[in-house]
Amino acid sequence: MAIADASPVKTTCPYCGVGCGVLAKADAGGVVEVRGDPDHPANFGRLCSKGSALAETTGLDGRLLYPEIDGRRAPWDEALDLVAGRFSETVRIHGPDSVALYVSGQLLTEDYYVANKLMKGFIGSANIDTNSRLCMASSVAGHRRAFGADTVPGTYADLEQADLIVLVGSNLAWCHPVLYQRIAAAREKRPDMRVVVIDPRRTMTADSADLHLPVRADGDVALFAGLLAYLADQGALDAAYIERHTTGFDAALAAARAFGRMEIANRTGIRPADLDRFYRLFAQTPKVVTVYSQGVNQSAAGTDKVNAIINCHLATGRIGKPGAGPFSVTGQPNAMGGREVGGMANMLAAHMELGNPLHRERVQRFWKAPAIADKPGLKAVDLFRAVADGRVKALWIMATNPVDSMPDADQVRAALADCPFVVVSDVLAATDTGHYADVRLPAAAWGEKDGTVTNSERRISRQRPFLPLPGEARPDWWIVAEVARRMGFRSAFSYAGPAAIFAEHAALSAYDNNGARDFDIGAHAAIGTAEYDALTPFQWPAPAARETKTAQQAKAPGDIRFFAGGGFFTPDRKARFIAIAAQAETWPQDASALILNTGRVRDHWHTMTRTGKSPRLSQHLAEPFVEIHPHDAARHGIGDADIVRVATPRGAILVRALVTRRQAPGSIFVPIHWTDQFASNARVGVLVAPATDPHSGQPALKHSRATVTRFPAQWYGFAVLRHKPDGIPADYWSLARCEAGWRVELAFAGDRDWAGLARGLFAASPEAETLVYHDEALGRHRFACFEGRRLAAALYLARDAVAVSRSWAVEQLAADCPDQPTRFSVIAGRPVAGASDRGATVCSCFGVGVNQIAAAVGAGCTTVAAVGERLQAGTNCGSCRAEIRGIIDAHRLQAAE
Ligand SMILES: Nc1nc2c(c(=O)[nH]1)N[C@H]1C(S)=C(S)[C@@H](COP(=O)(O)OP(=O)(O)OC[C@H]3O[C@@H](n4cnc5c(=O)[nH]c(N)nc54)[C@H](O)[C@@H]3O)O[C@H]1N2
Ligand SMILES: Nc1nc2c(c(=O)[nH]1)N[C@H]1C(S)=C(S)[C@@H](COP(=O)(O)OP(=O)(O)OC[C@H]3O[C@@H](n4cnc5c(=O)[nH]c(N)nc54)[C@H](O)[C@@H]3O)O[C@H]1N2
Ligand code: SF4
Ligand SMILES: [Mo]
């Protein structure tokens, strides 16, 4: 993948909050190449599987290229006038709180800034919330409780300098893979470094840890309360730090002690010996970083979990020091930028407080705004409730797909269907949310858009375009500004480009600041277009030279960490310990129900609007599934690869069973990625209750109660198709991109007209030749359709799971089939585990399958490096190394048996 001639553009990966630098370019024919930017301090050239496959996601198939009103193409002027008119009219008749924006951590900072400004300063309501509410609102609330501001104290380098890394509710190997790789590289250099993973599931991240604590769902508060008490008992506190820089320690310790050993054992479900091992390790290791993510945030006790963790770091003074601190890693590429512009319903711009009249007055003065929101707006779950009951009458959704990603997702869908006016800005024409839009606005996508993002370590990087704007797509900031201007706010939204917006944002961060607020990038307040275009990644704070007073004074020059020497953003400049009482366990005690945990897989991103376009990324896990422990599977009569109905009082979905001991008994895991665009019925949001954390309003997306039953499938099917099928008449189906087309899994509760089904799916041309094979006795039907020398489509049906190798079948779409023997071999199907069958993809960079790796291991490759040498697997992005190690270990176990 050499990028030669034309110099590539330095930009940033649009996926996770690691914020890796990417070198990208497109040739004259539009062929895109990407690789890691060796100069970017987040990744130093590394990329994960998703980042490496970015070039496969920039095609225009499925893009929304023109504005649409009620499904018909409309000129921009008409669409913008309509949106501005309806919003203005609704505000005039029903007041500012009758309209709302629902935005996203995938907007650029400039887009986000303009949307927030329009809503809070010009419409005069704080009804702007974001999918970040589902993502890290609990971390924000926890930071603000403890530090007085939403400050992430540490940096990525701390992960390499630490002697102990504790990963809480974080599947770093899959979700922040480049950070995981940085840790893995540091461990190779310093084998004494320890990693502890606290997660109910045995994830790929847990596989490579020194200690995995399979905590019971939401046992984290008890676990860290136990740690605080242990630290006090063992004399492992930093009394000087507590005394000088904090308040509330005694109350926090008393609350922690109130849990007691028994209670902690019950709530965590962890063996006391393992807990002690972890507590001892933590107490004895000064350089410890605790990384946490959605297993912490997405909980009814999310904010308490965050503060339970921070309490332990404050108590040991392990914060803001090299190799030590609590570290909330953010999910989306610009979650942090959204926090900086104050894009949530309870925040104000530039880390100012909506509840503080001085701050409100200051922001209004700076914006020269006619109004300023004077109370918090509705948080995501409440926002959609207000849409449902008619309080919100006009809603504009940008860069997020709430019909899939919200809890109680069918209620969200119904609310949108009933809402008088829905606008959706998206890059794709068909999404589950866009379906309910009155107006669809085509946004610029990654590679086309131009602006900045902030990663998890407060580093601001440019996203730069290397592709032209297709069709009539426009940047999100432009769309918002045009609507604002048409609502009558002309001068405040007359930006020449993103540089002007960024400069205004930087100026506001420094306005009346003087070190009183953490977020200060005043050094860039006068930035011009040329400097903006040349801007290299930098971390905040970056105050203008004259402002390096007060709070910054405590720091050594160039020190980019916070709080090692105190200087918190509370009125007394001290951190606050939070006394956390045990919450009553309120789960319904339905013995047959299992805890439903939800989350991510390695190679897909959220609702698959981008990764679903990549053949490589779609091969790792090609179907929606439920992970279930063998005991629970047996108890409910479920076998591996059965279709399972997972149900809660809110709804039911159909997914494939993946029976595995990685899942703890009593709980199941379903990934979040499959939407109505890719599966018959697998939107897990439909099942999840809209319970929220009382402090942050973040929904408890990892903890519902669900039942499982085997779906009584009589027939199973598998198809490969050159063309995307248009409507699939099966009780269960799921669709995935592959190299030369699409692959489809199917299941049926009863008999069908199989020939008719094949005809419908194939939609073949009249010249096509179809071969057919029936075996009534064995219960098999097979159809293969050829156009010229190529296979156009094949369908395999069986009474049991179809035993045809998926990787082999997918390859046949691209193979040459000139004569009857090769055509009959397609109909015959290569059985699973056949000699040259690659098996399910493990390494998506080089398309290496599980069977190939197993064969290499069998032939003597006993290390990940040796497998890499032979097959290349794991040698590019490294995201699959944990899986390769798993295959080696399994082989070793087998050999020992
Ligand atoms: N491949 C991939 N990477 C991504 C994304 C993606 O879609 N795909 N999305 C990005 C985004 S926006 C985000 S927010 C991050 C999320 O990154 P992560 O938070 O790492 O991912 P999740 O899979 O949501 O959840 C993490 C883990 O929390 C565990 N967990 C569940 N309940 C509990 C509990 O009570 N206690 C503890 N300790 N753990 C629990 C789950 O078992 C799961 O393994 O990933 C980012 N990176
Ligand atoms: N049950 C359960 N639910 C969850 C989670 C969970 O763990 N469990 N995780 C939650 C979390 S942490 C998150 S972050 C959310 C993510 O959930 P969503 O934000 O709903 O998911 P995405 O697929 O990222 O949606 C982004 C949308 O924006 C579009 N888009 C992409 N780029 C642009 C752009 O530049 N401009 C515009 N206008 N549109 C663009 C995409 O096509 C897509 O439709 O899901 C949340 N929901
Ligand atoms: S870790 Fe992967 S997904 Fe995240 S920013 Fe880096 S390349 Fe992109
Ligand atoms: Mo997220």
Side-chain angles (χ1 to χ4, degrees):
M1 272 193 275
I3 294 181
D5 35 49
S7 57
V9 165
K10 277 178 183 282
T11 183
T12 313
C13 176
Y15 294 120
C16 83
V18 178
C20 296
V22 170
L23 296 176
K25 69 166 196 174
D27 70 12
V31 175
V32 173
E33 288 178 28
V34 298
R35 63 184 165 93
D37 179 355
D39 300 328
H40 197 286
N43 56 319
F44 300 104
R46 295 181 177 93
L47 290 179
C48 75
S49 51
K50 294 183 298 301
S52 308
L54 272 167
E56 291 179 18
T57 66
T58 52
L60 296 184
D61 52 308
R63 281 290 295 275
L64 179 65
L65 295 173
Y66 305 96
E68 287 177 6
I69 298 172
D70 295 330
R72 70 168 166 88
R73 181 173 164 181
W76 266 113
D77 268 335
E78 187 188 343
L80 293 166
D81 283 343
L82 177 65
V83 175
R86 284 294 293 263
F87 267 70
S88 294
E89 186 191 62
T90 309
V91 169
R92 188 165 41 77
I93 300 173
H94 303 285
D97 291 334
S98 65
V99 301
L101 303 189
Y102 184 61
V103 302
S104 164
Q106 291 167 77
L107 291 174
L108 302 177
T109 298
E110 293 74 6
D111 306 325
Y112 229 135
Y113 177 86
V114 175
N116 187 58
K117 179 179 177 183
L118 170 62
M119 201 63 201
K120 295 207 177 111
F122 290 77
I123 291 176
S125 162
N127 274 352
I128 171 169
D129 211 38
T130 138
N131 63 358
S132 288
R133 182 71 57 198
L134 317 177
C135 189
M136 39 30 46
S138 298
S139 281
V140 174
H143 287 158
R144 292 173 76 202
R145 279 210 295 189
F147 309 148
D150 175 22
T151 317
V152 174
T155 74
Y156 292 163
D158 293 326
L159 298 170
E160 290 156 336
Q161 293 161 354
D163 294 315
L164 169 64
I165 294 176
V166 186
L167 296 164
V168 195
S170 159
N171 189 4
L172 209 73
W174 279 12
C175 295
H176 297 90
V178 166
L179 286 187
Y180 177 80
Q181 287 172 38
R182 283 181 67 166
I183 294 172
R187 282 174 92 190
E188 253 165 50
K189 285 198 202 120
R190 291 194 298 119
D192 285 346
M193 193 170 160
R194 293 283 168 264
V195 175
V196 176
V197 169
I198 302 173
D199 192 311
R201 294 189 303 148
R202 189 168 179 92
T203 58
M204 282 298 160
T205 312
D207 271 0
S208 58
D210 298 288
L211 179 63
H212 170 220
L213 302 178
V215 68
R216 268 183 65 192
D218 287 338
D220 307 86
V221 165
L223 196 154
F224 281 92
L227 176 59
L228 188 64
Y230 181 92
L231 293 169
D233 293 345
Q234 299 298 314
L237 303 173
D238 183 339
Y241 191 91
I242 295 173
E243 170 63 29
R244 214 171 298 147
H245 300 303
T246 72
T247 59
F249 176 71
D250 292 340
L253 180 60
R257 286 203 200 286
F259 275 83
R261 295 286 288 180
M262 275 302 287
E263 172 97 22
I264 290 168
N266 285 339
R267 286 192 182 237
T268 62
I270 296 170
R271 287 203 313 255
D274 285 342
L275 262 186
D276 278 344
R277 218 178 124 200
F278 167 58
Y279 288 173
R280 212 175 316 121
L281 205 54
F282 193 104
Q284 290 170 355
T285 316
K287 285 188 171 182
V288 45
V289 177
T290 306
V291 173
Y292 54 93
S293 185
Q294 300 314 340
V296 167
N297 293 332
Q298 291 173 338
S299 160
T303 308
D304 281 352
K305 290 188 189 185
V306 170
N307 288 111
I309 292 168
I310 292 175
N311 280 351
C312 294
H313 279 270
L314 290 173
T316 46
R318 295 172 187 164
I319 186 165
K321 295 178 182 156
F327 203 152
S328 146
V329 283
T330 50
Q332 298 182 89
N334 202 27
M336 292 285 275
R339 283 146 75 163
E340 289 152 21
V341 304
M344 297 213 272
N346 55 327
M347 312 277 282
L348 202 52
H351 282 200
M352 280 179 271
E353 306 268 338
L354 199 56
N356 183 327
L358 291 175
H359 289 187
R360 289 203 302 269
E361 185 278 326
R362 181 187 299 140
V363 174
Q364 184 172 10
R365 177 165 21 104
F366 180 86
W367 278 342
K368 301 188 179 63
I372 192 82
D374 61 356
K375 60 177 189 307
L378 295 165
K379 298 178 182 142
V381 171
D382 290 333
L383 176 66
F384 283 96
R385 282 195 185 118
V387 175
D389 66 24
R391 276 174 290 153
V392 168
K393 299 173 203 319
L395 174 67
W396 186 355
I397 298 166
M398 281 172 227
T400 176
N401 207 346
V403 164
D404 299 319
S405 55
M406 284 288 294
D408 212 359
D410 276 349
Q411 287 305 112
V412 168
R413 181 159 75 174
L416 291 188
D418 289 347
C419 182
F421 191 62
V422 177
V423 183
V424 172
S425 300
D426 205 289
V427 302
L428 284 198
T431 67
D432 293 352
T433 301
H435 187 74
Y436 297 92
D438 299 286
V439 181
R440 278 200 283 265
L441 302 174
W446 181 78
E448 302 150 13
K449 55 186 190 176
D450 190 8
T452 56
V453 290
T454 310
N455 74 3
S456 297
E457 61 164 356
R458 288 175 274 106
R459 190 180 298 280
I460 297 177
S461 301
R462 291 277 276 112
Q463 267 197 22
R464 295 185 174 90
F466 58 92
L467 292 165
L469 285 174
E472 291 180 6
R474 293 286 177 272
D476 287 292
W477 69 262
W478 181 90
I479 303 173
V480 177
E482 281 299 315
V483 168
R485 288 156 57 86
R486 284 156 210 256
M487 289 179 78
F489 313 125
R490 195 153 285 275
S491 61
F493 291 88
S494 293
Y495 297 107
I501 304 171
F502 185 78
E504 181 179 313
H505 166 59
L508 176 55
S509 79
Y511 192 58
D512 285 355
N513 189 335
N514 297 317
R517 307 192 301 270
D518 61 343
F519 178 65
D520 186 343
I521 54 167
H524 301 277
I527 197 167
T529 305
E531 290 163 277
Y532 182 75
D533 284 343
L535 191 67
T536 52
F538 71 95
Q539 268 175 305
W540 63 259
R546 63 189 155 70
E547 289 175 37
T548 42
K549 299 254 167 62
T550 47
Q552 305 307 331
Q553 248 168 10
K555 295 177 183 296
D559 186 355
I560 214 73
R561 296 181 180 86
F562 283 91
F563 308 145
F568 294 90
F569 296 94
T570 51
D572 60 5
R573 288 286 189 183
K574 290 184 173 187
R576 298 187 199 106
F577 279 96
I578 305 296
I580 302 163
Q583 284 186 358
E585 295 199 359
T586 51
W587 311 319
Q589 296 305 312
D590 174 356
S592 69
L594 301 162
I595 292 172
L596 168 64
N597 177 6
T598 63
R600 292 157 170 79
V601 304
R602 189 188 78 191
D603 285 356
H604 275 306
W605 176 263
H606 297 168
T607 66
M608 291 209 264
T609 58
R610 287 173 293 165
T611 50
K613 286 183 163 191
S614 159
R616 272 199 281 165
L617 297 179
S618 301
Q619 303 311 303
H620 180 238
L621 291 162
E623 231 186 327
F625 58 87
V626 54
E627 288 188 330
I628 182 166
H629 189 274
H631 292 166
D632 291 321
R635 195 154 62 93
H636 295 282
I638 292 167
D640 203 20
D642 277 349
I643 305 294
V644 177
R645 183 173 183 273
V646 185
T648 68
R650 287 158 209 286
I653 62 172
L654 289 181
V655 291
R656 185 80 65 176
L658 217 156
V659 178
T660 169
R661 289 181 186 275
R662 290 181 174 280
Q663 195 62 38
S667 66
I668 53 175
F669 176 84
V670 177
I672 60 173
H673 307 289
W674 276 268
T675 67
D676 287 352
Q677 309 297 319
F678 289 94
S680 49
N681 172 17
R683 289 161 51 236
V684 73
V686 164
L687 306 182
V688 177
T692 55
D693 176 279
H695 305 285
S696 66
Q698 180 156 357
L701 298 167
K702 301 257 185 276
H703 196 158
S704 310
R705 287 272 163 161
T707 54
V708 289
T709 39
R710 183 180 173 278
F711 174 75
Q714 300 290 320
W715 287 93
Y716 294 86
F718 171 69
V720 287
L721 306 165
R722 203 90 67 71
H723 302 288
K724 189 176 180 186
D726 192 15
I728 305 174
D731 296 310
Y732 166 88
W733 59 263
S734 85
L735 189 64
R737 204 80 177 76
C738 61
E739 201 51 65
W742 297 85
R743 51 188 279 193
V744 192
E745 298 287 344
L746 305 147
F748 307 85
D751 289 338
R752 293 288 171 99
D753 162 15
W754 302 121
L757 177 84
R759 265 196 310 281
L761 272 182
F762 292 2
S765 65
E767 303 86 63
E769 183 200 350
T770 301
L771 295 183
V772 180
Y773 161 87
H774 297 288
D775 184 333
E776 293 293 343
L778 277 175
R780 281 191 195 150
H781 302 282
R782 292 175 172 188
F783 304 84
C785 166
F786 299 88
E787 284 173 357
R789 294 162 69 101
R790 297 269 305 274
L791 175 70
L795 170 65
Y796 304 87
L797 295 148
R799 287 276 182 191
D800 296 315
V802 174
V804 167
S805 159
R806 302 313 192 244
S807 55
W808 172 85
V810 159
E811 280 166 12
Q812 302 317 301
L813 280 180
D816 191 25
C817 294
D819 49 25
Q820 286 309 79
T822 49
R823 294 178 175 208
F824 280 122
S825 80
V826 171
I827 275 282
R830 164 110 4 108
V832 183
S836 66
D837 174 21
R838 288 184 290 128
T841 301
V842 173
C843 168
S844 41
C845 293
F846 295 108
V848 183
V850 63
N851 294 347
Q852 291 169 289
I853 295 171
V857 175
C861 297
T862 54
T863 62
V864 177
V867 170
E869 223 157 88
R870 178 170 298 206
L871 299 171
Q872 283 188 292
T875 57
N876 181 41
C877 79
S879 301
C880 62
R881 278 190 206 136
E883 271 152 280
I884 297 174
R885 191 170 303 116
I887 297 166
I888 296 170
D889 290 347
H891 187 266
R892 235 184 250 144
L893 278 179
Q894 258 175 1
E897 269 166 10

